[in-house]
Amino acid sequence: MKKKKNKQLIQLCVLAGVLVVLVVALLVARYLNAQAEKAAEVEAIEVPYLEDATTLALNNGTDEETYVYDAEDDTWHWAEDEDFPLNSNNITAILNTWSALDTETELEISDELSAYGLEPAECSATITTDDGESLTILIGIATGDYYYCMIEGGESIYLISSTMSTYLNYSLYDMATLETFPATDSDSLETITVQGTVETSFYQEITETTTTDDDGEETTETESAWYTTDGTDVTDADDLTELTSEVIGLGFDAMVNYYPTEDDLAEAGLDEPQCIVTVTYTTTVENDDEDEDDEDAEAETVTESFTLEIGNQTEDGSYYYATLNGGTTIYQISFSDLSTIMAVAESGADALYADDE
């Protein structure tokens, strides 16, 4: 009798479990249907002229810049100088943000526009077409993770991603494409010269040793060693890896001045840099004499170089001013990214060894 009751209890538990699963499935199905119906009710707000925009004027209350579209190269340029290295992806991102407006983010105007930061607007962006048609988006104050915005002259307010406000608060230099350093790795480095209070040069020697086992299988081992030009082996120096890692990872954080005067360069300490880093490295290039369609076309390894000039630190000490390859464009590069390089500039190869005292 007891076994029979236990069997019935197990059956009831199984049935109860099945029932729970069915109820959960039903609730999930209802929720998904409700979400689908809600999504179907959401309609995109068609912002006129977006696809035909040829001019974009941005005003963030501090800076006011205008950008123009060049249909020939499908690129946006700064209106005052088409040679300025503008990153047109930023312009595209702004226009794409507008296209995200929909009825779900639409709000009724229940107060004065000033209460939303829309009169006067915190920021504004105006697009204009070749036909002279234009439209202005006004951006107001933040509300949670969004900002109030409206089409000037419209009757509705919308919530828009903070991305739009971020882009509108960019200065011209925030919109720039930064110069980049060549892609290198530890094996491709040939020499590193650091010129500061003292001048120190390092070079790398890579040796390959091939051995053959009893079965005729060949094994090649590669070893690298670093030396100073006076022949000192620094391969096992405590901070050698930090030095080569800094060189490989060099990158600018921001553009400061694309049109510097001699006084600007002097103020940044770049008329007489406190440190000059010159790096030679190997890279592979395609042989121009070979047929481009020939998959077996040979490439050759060549040696190239770059030079980084480092000036003064910024007022807060977080960055150095710098230029690349004798250029005049002033950039900022992180203080922490140059700590070993600057130590070598001050003390030479001795800086690569830990102080045991």
Side-chain angles (χ1 to χ4, degrees), residues 294-357:
D294 184 0
E295 294 182 358
D296 297 324
E298 294 184 1
E300 60 178 329
T301 300
V302 299
T303 296
E304 297 183 350
S305 67
F306 65 84
T307 299
L308 172 69
E309 301 89 5
I310 303 168
N312 298 334
Q313 287 179 249
T314 56
E315 288 187 9
D316 63 4
S318 299
Y319 300 92
Y320 287 98
Y321 295 112
T323 56
L324 182 63
N325 292 330
T328 59
T329 302
I330 301 175
Y331 296 97
Q332 286 182 352
I333 190 168
S334 174
F335 173 88
S336 60
D337 290 346
L338 297 174
S339 57
T340 307
I341 289 174
M342 297 307 292
V344 172
E346 180 67 26
S347 306
D350 290 342
L352 298 181
Y353 295 89
D355 188 355
D356 296 329
E357 295 183 5

Side-chain angles (χ1 to χ4, degrees), residues 172-220:
L172 174 66
Y173 289 139
D174 292 326
M175 302 280 274
T177 297
L178 307 182
E179 286 187 85
T180 58
F181 292 79
T184 57
D185 56 34
S186 58
D187 291 336
S188 68
L189 295 177
E190 286 193 336
T191 66
I192 302 172
T193 299
V194 181
Q195 181 180 351
T197 304
V198 296
E199 180 175 343
T200 311
S201 293
F202 307 89
Y203 67 92
Q204 179 176 207
E205 283 190 355
I206 297 179
T207 57
E208 291 185 352
T209 303
T210 301
T211 58
T212 304
D213 62 20
D214 295 338
D215 297 326
E217 294 290 335
E218 291 187 348
T219 302
T220 300

Side-chain angles (χ1 to χ4, degrees), residues 50 56-58 67 87-100 124-127 137 139 160 163-170 175:
L50 277 183
L56 175 64
L58 304 179
Y67 305 96
N87 185 348
S88 62
N89 289 335
N90 292 328
I91 305 299
T92 302
I94 291 173
L95 298 178
N96 286 342
T97 304
W98 289 4
S99 63
S124 67
T126 300
I127 57 174
I137 291 268
I139 308 296
I160 199 165
T163 302
M164 171 66 87
S165 178
T166 299
Y167 280 115
L168 292 188
N169 279 291
Y170 276 179
M175 302 280 274

Side-chain angles (χ1 to χ4, degrees), residues 34 60 62-63 84 209 225 228 250 305 318 324:
N60 60 23
T62 303
D63 299 310
F84 180 83
T209 303
T228 61
L250 286 171
S305 67
S318 299
L324 182 63

Side-chain angles (χ1 to χ4, degrees), residues 85-270:
L86 180 72
N87 185 348
S88 62
N89 289 335
N90 292 328
I91 305 299
T92 302
I94 291 173
L95 298 178
N96 286 342
T97 304
W98 289 4
S99 63
L101 297 182
D102 56 45
T103 53
E104 188 175 20
T105 65
E106 188 174 3
L107 304 174
E108 293 184 3
I109 299 177
S110 59
D111 207 337
E112 298 293 329
L113 292 180
S114 58
Y116 304 95
L118 293 167
E119 194 177 57
E122 298 285 311
C123 304
S124 67
T126 300
I127 57 174
T128 305
T129 69
D130 279 339
D131 295 331
E133 297 171 308
S134 67
L135 173 145
T136 298
I137 291 268
L138 306 176
I139 308 296
I141 59 177
T143 172
D145 295 329
Y146 297 88
Y147 281 77
Y148 294 115
C149 80
M150 70 178 300
I151 299 174
E152 189 174 44
E155 299 180 352
S156 298
I157 291 177
Y158 303 91
L159 296 179
I160 199 165
S161 165
S162 59
T163 302
M164 171 66 87
S165 178
T166 299
Y167 280 115
L168 292 188
N169 279 291
Y170 276 179
S171 68
L172 174 66
Y173 289 139
D174 292 326
M175 302 280 274
T177 297
L178 307 182
E179 286 187 85
T180 58
F181 292 79
T184 57
D185 56 34
S186 58
D187 291 336
S188 68
L189 295 177
E190 286 193 336
T191 66
I192 302 172
T193 299
V194 181
Q195 181 180 351
T197 304
V198 296
E199 180 175 343
T200 311
S201 293
F202 307 89
Y203 67 92
Q204 179 176 207
E205 283 190 355
I206 297 179
T207 57
E208 291 185 352
T209 303
T210 301
T211 58
T212 304
D213 62 20
D214 295 338
D215 297 326
E217 294 290 335
E218 291 187 348
T219 302
T220 300
E221 294 184 357
T222 301
E223 293 184 356
S224 66
W226 280 91
Y227 303 88
T228 61
T229 49
D230 63 5
T232 302
D233 188 340
V234 294
T235 305
D236 296 324
D238 302 283
D239 292 336
L240 176 65
T241 300
E242 282 74 8
L243 175 64
T244 56
S245 294
E246 286 182 7
V247 169
I248 293 169
L250 286 171
F252 293 124
D253 293 276
M255 181 185 290
V256 177
N257 196 335
Y258 187 71
Y259 307 98
T261 63
E262 291 184 1
D263 288 342
D264 293 330
L265 291 168
E267 185 177 349
L270 290 166

